[in-house]
Amino acid sequence: MSADVVAIEMVQAAVEAAVQQNQRDEAPPQQREEEGVEPQIAVQAAEPTAPMPTSGAELGVPMEGDTPSLRTIKGTDIPVLVFLNSGSGGRQGGRLLARFEQWVGKEQVYDLGQVKSGGAKPEAILQKFAHVKNLRVVACGGDGTCCWILSAMDKVPACRVPVGTMPLGTGNDLSRALGWGPGFTRAMGKESWLQLVGRAQPTPLDRWSCMVSLPGGRMPPTFTATGEGSAQSGVFCNYLGIGIEAASLNAFHEAREANPKVFNGRIKNQVKMGLLGVGKSGLCPLFCGSAPQLAPRLSVQFRRRESTEWEELALPSRLKTVILVNIPSHAAGRNLWGKHSSRGATPQSFSDGVLEMTGFHSAGHFGCYLALSQPGSLLGCSRQTGSTRLAQVAELKIELKEPLHMQMDGEPWLQPQSTVHISHSVASMMLQASAMGCVQCGGTVHPWRGTCMVLSHGPTLVSLPPRPCHLALAA
């Protein structure tokens, strides 16, 4: 058989096979099933789709439920969730609320002032956005606002995201310690400030548990029942104090709650806090009485880090204030522990699992610390600025033998006779702002300033390694 004949037969066989396949395709499905041929599923041509998004803002963030996609920080793929206390910062809170809604959308900005009127609590909002990738949270308000957000995050185990701060409070010590500055500046009112949030480095912050066996009448909002009798437990980030400092803060808070409209400025509030505290400090014993000495009224036991043994702490006989500090900023930027190490003391850190315990002998001693510590920091003085160092502790037990004023992160109350147990609770992730370098003159630009500190011009920025800023702490 020739090759031509073979080729012709192959073509005829292919044609017959094509005709049979065409007849099967045109037959009804039932007949095709009888013939042992599976029905073919018709594939419709796909409709033309929109071009795929490329930027983070266009792409959005996948979320659970019906939650809309989040808008990201301009120029990044980092979404941000903003909690703002509209009652903080005088008139700035309300203005910033509108600006943030314009920058990131109303769905990502929540006014904490609405909680008292029945609005959603922070933990409910965090639960809603718990599974968002690369999410960062900004807490706009005082230190109390930031600690409120961290406590709410503890109730949502699935949400462990870093938190940055915008200082709108009176002291703003946590904001100072993390490099975000002493207070609100014009630079924070611009959308470019959010880019600093995107560049900030996550860093752990120790948070401490304070459990009291018998709570007082008005406890800070972070305290909750432990289930062990009447005991309650709260968490603090910055400091805890007992004595005349707490009594002065209590007088200030009572006056502000009675007439909140009068307390509408950061500097004004600091002055009024000092004036109202005079009556509780013992400076005028003839008219206001003397401040109580703590040694006969307190019994203190502590445990050092990497040790299981408890030690008794002998308090100085004239001690009238005890303060436990976790961060290198106290009373609006003063460094209570100091940077100088002596007698076996180690430099302070807010992520080492250690609290620094200091004290003051009198109101005059405390007043000198308030008056002289900031000028010393501005001049670059690294030594301790007047407080009496007592110990560095990892755990503490305090027995109050009579009622005394206490304060925790600036929230004061009168604590009745009870036992106070302080221990490490958890380390939360915070955003630590890093200084930027000006390529025009080599100067340093801090996140809370809008211009270069050398020439006061609008700089071109480059990233610098994160480092502590003593000017931010002292401002």
Side-chain angles (χ1 to χ4, degrees), residues 44-45 148 236 275 406 420 437 474:
Q44 297 180 354
W148 185 6
F236 67 94
L275 295 176
M406 295 182 62
V420 181

Side-chain angles (χ1 to χ4, degrees), residues 92-114:
Q92 296 295 341
R95 297 174 183 175
L96 285 172
L97 184 65
R99 291 186 183 182
F100 274 114
E101 289 178 349
Q102 179 182 1
W103 297 338
V104 299
K106 293 184 178 181
E107 297 82 5
Q108 296 169 229
V109 182
Y110 294 88
D111 183 7
L112 295 173
Q114 302 297 325

Side-chain angles (χ1 to χ4, degrees), residues 207-373:
R207 297 171 60 218
W208 297 82
S209 170
C210 174
M211 185 176 69
V212 295
S213 59
L214 181 64
R218 185 193 65 180
M219 303 295 291
T222 59
F223 272 87
T224 56
T226 62
E228 300 177 3
S230 59
Q232 291 191 10
S233 178
V235 179
F236 67 94
C237 306
N238 299 356
Y239 32 69
L240 181 144
I242 304 174
I244 59 175
E245 184 217 22
S248 301
L249 282 174
N250 189 67
F252 171 78
H253 275 258
E254 289 179 350
R256 184 169 63 175
E257 290 179 354
N259 194 1
K261 295 182 180 180
V262 178
F263 299 84
N264 56 2
R266 181 167 60 94
I267 303 300
K268 187 189 299 184
N269 288 352
Q270 292 177 3
V271 173
K272 290 182 178 180
M273 184 182 298
L275 295 176
L276 291 170
V278 170
K280 301 293 184 180
S281 63
L283 285 175
C284 303
L286 294 178
F287 301 97
C288 307
S290 59
Q293 295 181 354
L294 298 183
R297 295 171 173 83
L298 291 181
S299 175
V300 180
Q301 290 182 326
F302 71 96
R303 182 181 61 81
R304 301 179 188 273
R305 185 176 59 178
E306 299 178 355
S307 175
T308 58
E309 297 181 359
W310 288 87
E311 304 178 35
E312 191 79 20
L313 179 62
L315 299 177
S317 59
R318 296 186 302 154
L319 199 70
K320 295 186 177 180
T321 295
V322 170
I323 304 175
L324 296 164
V325 289
N326 182 48
I327 61 176
S329 181
H330 170 262
R334 294 159 178 87
N335 195 332
L336 184 60
W337 183 256
K339 300 179 182 179
H340 181 68
S341 299
S342 62
R343 299 179 184 177
T346 59
Q348 186 180 17
S349 171
F350 51 66
S351 58
D352 60 355
V354 172
L355 284 173
E356 283 69 31
M357 188 175 184
T358 66
F360 294 94
H361 297 293
S362 64
H365 185 195
F366 187 66
C368 289
Y369 153 75
L370 295 177
L372 300 177
S373 58

